[in-house]
Structures are given as structure tokens and as C-alpha cells.
Amino acid sequence: MEETRVRPIRNVAIVSNVGAGKTSLSEAILYVGGAIPTLGSVVQGTTVSDFEPEELHHRCSTSTSLLQFTWNQTTINLLDPPGALSLLGEPLAALRAVDAVIIVLHGSTGVRTELGRLWARIKELALPCLVFVNGLDKEGAAFPTALEVCRKELECVPVPMVVPVDPGAQMEGVVDVLQAKLIRSGPASAKVEQVSVPAHLEPAMQETRKQLLEAVAETEEKLLDAYVAQGDLSREELVQGLRSAVCTRQFLPVYAGSALRNVGVWSLLDAMVELLPSPAERFAAQPLRGTHPDTGHVYERKGSAQEPFSAYVFKTLIDPFVGWLSYCRVLSGIVQADSTVLNASKHVREKLGHFYTVFGKRHGAVGSAGAGEIVAIGKLKDTQAGDTLCQENEPICYSGLGLPRPVLSFAIEAKSKAEIDKVSLGLHKLIEEDPTLEFVRNAETKEMVLSGMGQLHIDLALEKLHRKFGADVTLHTPKIPYRETLKAKSQAQGKYKKQTGGHGQYGDCWLEVTPLPRGEGFIFENRVVGGAIPRNFIPAVEKGVVEAMREGGLSGFPVVDVRVAVYDGSYHVVDSSEISFKIAGSMAFRKAMEGAHPVLLEPMMTVEIEAPTDAVGAVMGDLNGRRGRIVSVSANAHAEQIKALVPLAELLKYAPVLNAMTGGRGTYVMDFARYDEVPRELTGKIIDQYKAERHTVAAH
Ligand SMILES: Nc1nc2c(ncn2[C@@H]2O[C@H](COP(=O)(O)OP(=O)(O)O)[C@@H](O)[C@H]2O)c(=O)[nH]1
Ligand SMILES: [Mg+2]
């Protein structure tokens, strides 16, 4: 019953640590799959997948490529995202479009932070996986080490599917255990040669095959019975057992070879079709869940073409030739190009433009797309990555992309006044393409602030800004958004009186300010009894307080975490007005704060650093120097994770420092944790600095 209308489909993303060979492997898959005539190379900038100018310049992927091709009557949608930690939004989004994943392991490197994070998401999404151990043509790359990584770091049961033959620079084959054949191949031809297994490789193959048989037999009683009875399983039984074990994530079939030399790739490609689930099979095992955008009612979809149309947008980009494109994974139903649908995430109707298939930078027009397919749609006005599109009368909304927050911020300034508009326009376009990039004008510090996931991410954004919009900027350290609060209870009066001639002004109130626990913000209370201030003026007092809170008396930063109670006052029947009580409220608040032992608060960040073991001492020492508090340290086979609480002010230029301390092997992510009091010895300096700045601004 599987996809009778169209060809079978496999949607697969390739993920790994940066530089493990995803793009090279994608290229080799296309080559073996007959989609390209020659094997391109990342180093020469000739792969189908890495084509953007930034990718060619950096010689690494910076954006997810979609590679659609056909093999064995199966449509394969291969996604090749970048691996760098600061571009993690791309693979995280790609995972939402696929039904299975190929994990590339390389050399003796274990699971680094970026793959660790992806692995966590893969588990959440319960995506079936295959592993490809790449680079076996290189010195020091060992297959057993990779199996150990699967066991220890991915905490999975690896099942080797091949026996690598003569790993090293001249490697030209693997023994495919399922085929019981030696598969010979090389970079000069897309054809593989299947020959019988030479006698000296027979014991290794039998040993691997035995492991496979036992693993498969254990997954199902029927298979176990057959194995016990015959001492063997047929190829059909093996494939059937493997398929269901992969689909339910019971174990990880492990392939191996060299993407660069086109070795072992054919077996992997075969497995993509034979062992990975089709979209329908995946959703039969775990139905899709979405909610009604208005009622929140939960609905399930089985991912069939007969259901109402729904699709998930996992990437948007501006293509130089076709314009705005939204990459969509159709999850249910069928949709025609140029029809009108609902964007359930944004509650707006969208008129769909043309539909395209995508092969790297090449596009082909198609008229419709059905469940399981991936299609690029032109001209969507309000749709962003993470949105759900659906049939208007059957609305459903799937969960958002769940992307990490930016960690690194810069204040940016246009190189020339004439470029300010270009910068602003360009950056707004770039953030529409990339949900992990943030661009805001900070009302408090009056700066334009660009935030990203790391230095590479910011650099790439600026390169694109230059290339696509012809605008250049300079980067500065952004100002810190400090806050003020109080440490003691205090009371004060605010009396505003102007009663000379004509209609006068009269407002008078007594306020009590009390510290609130950190993060509680602001509470206003009316404790006036006996009509000392008429009820209708109380909101005006509150307004005055709120206005005064915007600029604290110490440094001009907003006041937070304060309970303000108005408890007494007086009024004048004629002269009292809202405005006079508002002014009185502001005056009383400022005075009360003076007596309340005001202090400065600074933003504290939770920082998670991963550093190679030999650099951990240096990293921890440096964190101490940054007023950081270590929260925990934990280790895996290759690196240690340090979790610390550090003031944002000490982290503004952390990325290059960590790089230098760890020889480029350290990575970190950070997130806002809370506001903490600035140590007294630093407070004076910060206050002086901001007062001086305010003076200069005022003088201009
Ligand atoms: N020796 C060798 N080098 C490889 C292999 N696969 C990839 N590389 C090289 O490793 C580098 C990173 O490869 P790339 O495919 O861009 O990795 P990605 O970041 O995972 O996409 C490039 O210089 C490739 O030429 C391989 O199987 N053997
Ligand atoms: Mg790549």
C-alpha cells in the first residue's frame, strides 16, 4: 500500500561534527547514484552541495543543501547541512524535514558538542539512523574506535554492516555483509564491482555476519525461532528484521569507507533504500501530532496523501534566480502550485507561488506535491522557517523549530551614513532567512545590535550583507543592559504644587518601596484609606512611578524588583489632576529610592564550555578571572564540559580567547540566567562611565 501514486521516497539528513565529510559523502552518494557524472571535491569547490560564495570561500558548508535524485526507482531527498556549532540552527531545522538520519563519524574524534546536541534532538524526534564511518583512507582512522563511539557516546548498539578492506591511502573496497560480496569501487568510476569474498576475508565476514544474525534474531521472537531452527536467516528475513529494528531505533547499522575515494558508499546508498523507512512507514510507527491553532485540540496525522494537506516549512532563503523560496516538507495530503492555504502558525492566508525540485543550486518546476515530498515554494509573503502550512478548513499547527538562542552580540555601525538604510534593510532580510540570527535596535542603549551563535555565524552574516546588499559595517562591543534595584525598605513623600494664578496643580502622595525577590519585576499596591487620595488618581500615581522606574537614580538604567505601595497623601478639590499626581508619584519614587540603598544589577549568563582535557585548567583559571562561578564539570572520552555562571560584561570578547586557549578546539554556548548584584568595587566605575556617556550625548 506504500505510495502507490508516486515513487517511494526517502528523506534523509546527513549530520556530524564539522569537517567529518558530510558534503563529500553527499557528493559520493550522488556520484554512485548516477546523479552526477564526476565526483566533485570540497577542497576544489566543485561539489553540488557547497555552491554559495561563502561556502566556496570558507571551503565548508554554511547552509543546508537539498539534493533530490532518483535511485532504484526511489526518490531520495538528501539534506546536507553545515556542521559548525555556530550554524547548528541549520541541521536542527533539517531534522524536521526528514524521516531518517545518516551520522558520519570520522577518525578517532568522538561526539563533539555539535553532534551531541544534534543527537539529543534526533532522540527526541525518534529518527531512525544509519552510521557511516568516513575517512578510512587516512592514517589513524579506525573502524573499531568508531564502533566504540556508538556504544559509549551515542549509547546505542552498533551493528557493523561491512568489513573495511585494507584501510589506508589505497583503500578500494569493503565486504558487504548483507550481500556477502566484496564491493570494489574508486573515485574514477561510479560503477562498483561485486566479487566473491576472498578466502582471507572470509573469517572476518563470518564473524561480522554472526553478530548481525544474533542482533537481528534478538529483535523478534519469530526471527529468533527461525535462527535457532536453521542456524541462519535468509536475506529477506535479515532485511525485514533490520528494517524494523532501525525504524524502532533498536540498533545502529554501521557502514564504513571513504567519501573522498568513493569506497563503501554504494552499500550505504543501498541501505538508505532498503533499511530506512518511507514517510508512510515512519508515521505508521509514530503518528504526527499537531494542534488546532485556535482551540489547541491535539490532532494526529498518519502522513498519507488522502488526509487534508499540511506541510512544515524548515528553511527559507533568497535565491538569486527564483527569489524567495520556502523549503517545505509535505506531511499530509496533496497541494497544487499557485493554490491558497493557511499559515496556521501566523494565522494568515498564503497564496503559494511556483513549486520547484532542488538539486543544489538547480531548480526544476513541478505542479504539485504530496505527502512525504520535499518541495521549494516560491513567493510566500508571511511565512518563515518553523511555520505550518495547511488546508484552510482543516487547520493544524506543528511545533516550532526549537532553535537555540544567539550567544554572541555586537553593536554595529554602518561604515558610512549613506549605508545605514542598506544595513538595516539587508540585516532584516538576513534574519528572515536565518532564525538564529537576531538584529534589534536596543531602545535602552540606542545601539543596533546583531547577535548570532558564534563568531563564524556573525562573520558569514556580514559577508552576505556585503555580497547581497553592498553594505559594510564595523563591529563594537555592545553596552551591557544593567539594572537598578534596592536593598532596603524606604518611604518618601512626593508633593507637586503650583498654585500661582489661574488653574493650579496639586498632587501629594506618600510611597513605600520594598525590595522584591530577584526576577519578580514590579508590584504596585494601593493602601490608601479614608480617601486621602481619591481613587481615580491612584492609577496616575502608578504611572508616575512606572515612568520614574525607567531611569534609576544611580546610573539611569531601569529599576526592577520593587514593590511600591501608596499609603497616604492629600489632594485639592480644584487643582488636583491626573498629571499632578503622576508627577508627585515620580517625585516620591525617586526620593524613596535614594533612601532604599540602591544597587546596580548585571546580567549573568549560564555558560557551557566544552574544552579538550589538556586545556581545562587554563579555561577554569580564566573563568575565575572573569568573576565566573563554576557550577559543574563533567567529562566524556575526549573533552570536558564546564558549566559556569559568568557576568555578561566579562564575556563580550570570550570567543577569540577560548579559541586561543584551546587551540581552536573549545566551544561554548551561553544563555541568560538572571540578574545579580554588581560587586561594590566595580559599581562606582560603571556609574561614572555611564554618567560621562550621558553627558556627552546630552552635550551633542
Ligand atoms: N582523506 C579523506 N578526507 C576526506 C574524506 N571525506 C572528506 N574529507 C575531507 O575533509 C574535509 C571536510 O570535508 P567536508 O565534506 O566538507 O565535511 P563536512 O563539513 O562534514 O561537510 C575536506 O577537506 C574533505 O576533502 C575522506 O573520506 N577521506
Ligand atoms: Mg559540509
Side-chain angles (χ1 to χ4, degrees):
M1 57 171 244
E2 174 195 301
E3 294 114 349
T4 44
R5 191 181 73 87
V6 283
R7 280 198 208 102
I9 300 175
R10 298 291 181 271
N11 296 310
V12 185
I14 302 195
V15 304
S16 73
N17 297 323
V18 65
K22 293 175 292 295
T23 300
S24 307
L25 181 61
S26 306
E27 185 77 7
I29 289 175
L30 294 181
Y31 184 52
V32 173
I36 48 174
T38 50
L39 185 65
S41 122
V42 170
V43 178
Q44 286 161 15
T46 51
T47 63
V48 178
S49 181
D50 284 359
F51 58 84
E52 292 217 37
E54 289 77 26
E55 300 188 305
L56 299 175
H57 169 211
H58 290 269
R59 291 284 183 258
C60 85
S61 317
T62 62
S63 172
T64 301
S65 292
L66 173 54
L67 309 162
Q68 303 186 299
F69 67 106
T70 304
W71 196 72
N72 265 2
Q73 287 86 51
T74 304
T75 298
I76 298 184
N77 294 318
L78 194 60
L79 287 170
D80 173 31
L85 186 61
S86 68
L87 305 176
L88 203 68
E90 294 274 328
L92 284 172
L95 290 177
R96 291 295 294 273
V98 296
D99 307 302
V101 173
I102 295 173
I103 293 164
V104 183
L105 295 178
H106 182 58
S108 56
T109 320
V111 176
R112 294 174 29 140
T113 308
E114 58 269 32
L115 182 53
R117 275 163 198 267
L118 293 172
W119 183 242
R121 185 62 62 86
I122 289 167
K123 282 200 280 192
E124 258 170 54
L125 296 170
L127 286 166
C129 297
L130 301 177
V131 169
F132 186 79
V133 181
N134 188 35
L136 290 189
D137 59 301
K138 276 213 255 192
E139 287 283 305
F143 190 51
T145 320
L147 297 179
E148 208 47 32
V149 169
C150 295
R151 222 170 276 131
K152 290 241 176 77
E153 297 184 42
L154 300 179
E155 293 170 331
C156 278
V157 183
V159 179
M161 301 297 293
V162 294
V163 178
V165 181
D166 299 333
Q170 299 311 315
M171 186 181 192
E172 54 177 22
V174 294
V175 171
D176 185 311
V177 176
L178 216 48
Q179 306 284 357
K181 285 268 163 41
L182 168 63
I183 315 286
R184 280 220 289 256
S185 57
S189 163
K191 294 263 173 302
V192 299
E193 207 186 328
Q194 300 193 42
V195 295
S196 43
V197 179
H200 73 283
L201 292 171
E202 190 69 31
M205 184 190 77
Q206 287 308 342
E207 174 53 35
T208 310
R209 186 172 148 80
K210 191 160 156 256
Q211 282 178 32
L212 173 64
L213 284 167
E214 282 169 2
V216 169
E218 267 171 36
T219 61
E220 219 183 294
E221 220 169 72
K222 219 175 67 203
L223 293 171
L224 185 60
D225 292 346
Y227 181 53
V228 172
Q230 309 152 23
D232 202 353
L233 291 173
S234 69
R235 188 174 190 284
E236 288 65 40
E237 284 168 327
L238 265 179
V239 169
Q240 178 224 326
L242 271 165
R243 272 191 87 91
S244 66
V246 170
C247 204
T248 50
R249 297 172 48 80
Q250 292 178 69
F251 50 67
L252 268 183
V254 182
Y255 293 80
S258 160
L260 206 65
R261 290 189 51 77
N262 178 28
V263 174
V265 178
W266 183 85
S267 300
L268 178 71
L269 179 53
D270 214 32
M272 283 165 68
V273 172
E274 212 167 22
L275 303 188
L276 294 180
S278 71
E281 284 168 322
R282 171 170 177 228
F283 293 128
Q286 33 159 333
L288 265 165
R289 275 164 183 245
T291 53
H292 190 290
D294 301 323
T295 64
H297 186 82
V298 177
Y299 289 107
E300 279 192 357
R301 294 271 162 96
K302 295 228 168 55
S304 91
Q306 284 74 41
E307 287 171 311
F309 161 70
S310 71
Y312 195 72
V313 180
F314 63 96
K315 183 177 172 68
T316 57
L317 61 113
I318 307 170
D319 182 89
F321 302 106
V322 269
W324 263 115
L325 280 181
S326 304
Y327 283 20
C328 299
R329 161 69 195 265
V330 182
L331 291 163
S332 61
I334 299 173
V335 68
Q336 308 294 327
D338 304 315
S339 53
T340 299
V341 298
L342 176 74
N343 178 329
S345 315
K346 299 249 160 46
H347 296 268
V348 290
R349 301 177 85 203
E350 277 281 21
K351 170 92 171 65
L352 308 180
H354 295 326
F355 286 11
Y356 304 94
T357 56
V358 182
F359 185 71
K361 63 180 165 192
R362 281 205 332 248
H363 301 95
V366 281
S368 69
E373 293 185 63
I374 294 179
V375 67
I377 301 181
K379 291 223 182 62
L380 293 182
K381 250 190 12 260
D382 299 306
T383 299
Q384 284 168 313
D387 288 355
T388 303
L389 300 175
C390 59
Q391 191 176 313
E392 280 185 274
N393 56 0
E394 293 276 359
I396 189 166
C397 191
Y398 302 110
S399 66
L401 284 170
L403 298 181
R405 306 255 313 122
V407 292
L408 187 63
S409 297
F410 287 100
I412 59 168
E413 217 179 310
K415 280 232 169 98
S416 72
K417 275 232 164 70
E419 285 183 29
I420 293 179
D421 286 349
K422 266 201 276 180
V423 169
S424 175
L425 179 91
L427 284 173
H428 275 114
K429 287 240 160 100
L430 290 182
I431 59 170
E432 276 189 54
E433 274 191 335
D434 181 350
T436 58
L437 203 59
E438 213 174 79
F439 174 58
V440 289
R441 191 165 180 286
N442 189 322
E444 223 174 280
T445 59
K446 314 266 187 293
E447 290 175 320
M448 291 201 287
V449 179
L450 178 67
S451 308
M453 306 272 300
Q455 195 67 49
L456 173 68
H457 193 207
I458 300 268
D459 290 348
L460 287 169
L462 298 186
E463 283 174 36
K464 275 194 202 162
L465 186 67
H466 173 82
R467 170 168 68 91
K468 295 191 173 178
F469 305 95
D472 291 296
V473 298
T474 47
L475 298 179
H476 306 281
T477 316
K479 290 179 189 144
I480 305 291
Y482 291 102
R483 296 280 180 269
E484 285 185 28
T485 192
L486 63 169
K487 295 197 69 166
K489 191 187 261 195
S490 154
Q491 299 179 329
Q493 182 189 23
K495 191 166 186 177
Y496 181 62
K497 195 169 149 189
K498 246 192 189 166
Q499 291 175 310
T500 44
H503 200 317
Q505 302 270 9
Y506 187 95
D508 171 25
C509 65
W510 279 88
L511 297 182
E512 179 181 89
V513 296
T514 325
L516 280 179
R518 199 66 61 243
E520 300 239 324
F522 169 60
I523 297 173
F524 186 82
E525 262 173 33
N526 176 16
R527 286 197 222 132
V528 173
V529 284
I533 302 174
R535 275 195 164 277
N536 56 321
F537 291 134
I538 299 292
V541 174
E542 181 174 356
K543 258 193 214 152
V545 170
V546 168
E547 205 158 277
M549 280 176 67
R550 285 197 199 126
E551 282 194 17
L554 272 187
S555 60
F557 282 102
V559 179
V560 294
D561 302 339
V562 54
R563 177 197 298 276
V564 179
V566 50
Y567 64 95
D568 204 357
S570 63
Y571 71 103
H572 186 278
V573 235
V574 180
D575 292 346
S576 280
S577 64
E578 281 194 14
I579 184 75
S580 44
F581 269 101
K582 193 173 134 194
I583 295 171
S586 288
M587 288 165 68
F589 180 76
R590 281 196 203 102
K591 233 195 276 175
M593 279 299 291
E594 276 172 30
H597 190 6
V599 291
L600 212 55
L601 298 175
E602 62 179 341
M604 301 294 291
M605 312 298 283
T606 311
V607 191
E608 281 179 61
I609 302 161
E610 184 165 301
T613 313
D614 56 6
V616 166
V619 171
M620 300 230 279
D622 173 78
L623 283 175
N624 268 330
R626 292 175 189 272
R627 303 190 279 126
R629 266 195 309 258
I630 311 285
V631 178
S632 66
V633 181
S634 58
N636 63 23
H638 307 273
E640 293 194 35
Q641 273 104 19
I642 304 160
K643 205 165 165 185
L645 203 63
V646 191
L648 175 63
E650 305 285 344
L651 288 168
L652 293 177
K653 290 183 180 152
Y654 190 55
V657 176
L658 181 67
N659 237 342
M661 279 187 299
T662 59
R665 292 167 299 160
T667 53
Y668 76 106
V669 289
M670 66 178 186
D671 213 350
F672 172 75
R674 58 165 194 250
Y675 272 94
D676 267 2
E677 211 178 310
V678 175
R680 198 188 309 223
E681 62 276 17
L682 295 177
T683 307
K685 220 173 88 190
I686 296 166
I687 291 175
D688 289 349
Q689 187 188 334
Y690 279 87
K691 283 210 169 129
E693 272 174 28
R694 257 157 232 270
H695 260 110
T696 16
V697 173
H700 277 284

